[in-house]
Amino acid sequence: MEEKVLLRAYRTMRTIRAFEERLHTEFATGDIPGFVHLYAGEEASATGVCMHLDDDRDAIASTHRGHGHCIAKNVDVKAMMAEIYGRTTGSCHGKGGSMHIADLAKGMLGANGIVGGGPPLICGAALAAKQRGDGGVAVAFFGDGGSNQGTTLESLNLATVWQLPAVFVAENNGYAEATAASWSVGGGSIAARASAFGMPGVTVDGFDFFAVHEAAGEAVERARSGAGPTLIEVQLTRYYGHFEGDQQTYRATEVQEARAHLDCLKRFRARVTESAELTAPELDAVDAEVARLIDEAVAEAKAAPEPTRADLETDVYISYGIPH
Ligand SMILES: Cc1ncc(C[n+]2csc(CCOP(=O)(O)OP(=O)(O)O)c2C)c(N)n1
Ligand SMILES: [Mg+2]
């Protein structure tokens, strides 16, 4: 992989981690309205997949745990932070918050409070891309819990029936809220369900950026070339609770073990420095640059205005720009 591509991958993963760790501390102050679900620990998944996607022709649909997907799809980090703080400078003018960040100009169709809400949207986006004929691809991210929703299974079926340029990325972090995937995923493997729908299904180590990047590259290429959809099960761990405030009584030492032995950023750093593809000072410089960006994003979000009563009446209907 080229040096600039490696640096981009590291910068994206580091930005997601720093964004989420900062939100963890900021949320505890009580200044952030609404719910926040953190993506820390899962960075290699969003990054490894979205690095294959373009802003203009490719679309993604996300989940309630959407910050990482947004950052990896190039949504402006400062606009995201402002959105989470409910400010007018936010990506949705402060009206959506953490769970509804969207940026259609970047092909980010939205975080989503509805578990299993993303896959049907992606069938629509993939059908649109197929009609346009521009090689566009649509990717749905969903969790192990989302994989059991009827909407997801119907979407897998439709994607095959319509031979859509779609990729389904099941992020299996072992839990849906407090329910273990080992109990709730019938048949035990999300990836294995792909064969029932006539598409390839692969399982990848979600702590390994390179493994995700490779599997996603094949799936995106397959979709772009008109060969149809793929299901990828990415196995990983979330480092924080289901939501901020979750006491996590349902799990013990797995997070400490993952942080110590599996962490995607540590593994990436070890691999690229051992192979001498990047140096530690280059990576440290990215860390410092990202830390500054997050500091600025929080300061600017806190200083930005909140919506007024009059703002309640805007953004209610969308204008599609259809001439009268
Ligand atoms: C249709 C629907 N059912 C239930 C919920 C409540 N809920 C929110 S997140 C969640 C768990 C989702 O688990 P998973 O899909 O594995 O994603 P993760 O939180 O692990 O990233 C549930 C049940 C919801 N938001 N929408
Ligand atoms: Mg889960």
Side-chain angles (χ1 to χ4, degrees), residues 37 42 63-65 112-116 142-147 149 171 173-177 238 242:
H37 303 83
E42 307 189 10
T63 66
H64 54 285
R65 199 175 301 289
N112 205 319
I114 302 169
V115 172
F142 51 95
D144 43 288
S147 76
Q149 291 290 83
E171 296 181 322
N173 59 13
Y175 297 93
E177 299 194 351
R238 62 168 151 74
H242 170 64

Side-chain angles (χ1 to χ4, degrees), residues 1 69 85 100 138 263 321:
M1 224 177 258
H69 306 134
Y85 272 87
H100 303 100
D263 185 75

Side-chain angles (χ1 to χ4, degrees), residues 121-314:
L121 290 178
I122 274 331
C123 287
L127 181 62
K130 189 172 177 176
Q131 297 297 109
R132 289 195 310 269
D134 62 2
V137 168
V139 178
F141 290 96
F142 51 95
D144 43 288
S147 76
N148 299 328
Q149 291 290 83
T151 46
T152 302
L153 300 165
E154 290 171 43
S155 299
L156 291 170
N157 185 57
L158 200 56
T160 297
V161 171
W162 286 349
Q163 278 297 287
L164 294 176
V167 181
F168 296 89
V169 181
E171 296 181 322
N172 185 353
N173 59 13
Y175 297 93
E177 299 194 351
T179 303
S182 56
W183 182 83
S184 68
V185 176
S189 161
I190 301 170
R193 294 176 178 178
S195 67
F197 297 103
M199 68 177 78
V202 289
T203 305
V204 290
D205 174 358
F207 291 104
D208 181 352
F209 162 79
F210 296 96
V212 178
H213 186 265
E214 188 179 337
E218 282 170 24
V220 168
E221 189 44 46
R222 184 177 139 79
R224 281 206 205 291
S225 68
T230 302
L231 171 62
I232 303 174
E233 176 179 349
V234 187
Q235 295 182 329
L236 27 69
T237 294
R238 62 168 151 74
Y239 283 179
Y240 293 102
H242 170 64
F243 60 96
E244 283 309 272
D246 178 1
Q247 296 301 308
Q248 301 185 71
T249 49
Y250 50 86
R251 60 179 182 176
T253 57
E254 64 200 54
V255 174
Q256 292 93 305
E257 279 161 26
R259 279 186 184 271
H261 305 299
L262 302 172
D263 185 75
C264 60
L265 279 150
K266 285 187 194 160
R267 269 169 79 173
F268 185 97
R269 186 179 263 263
R271 174 161 160 174
V272 298
T273 50
E274 275 159 28
S275 63
E277 288 170 284
L278 293 176
T279 64
E282 280 177 301
L283 296 167
D284 293 343
V286 172
D287 293 350
E289 177 201 317
V290 168
R292 273 195 304 278
L293 172 68
I294 302 298
D295 281 346
E296 285 172 18
V298 172
E300 289 174 26
K302 285 183 175 173
E306 290 181 349
T308 62
R309 287 176 80 98
D311 291 325
L312 273 176
E313 292 171 22
T314 58

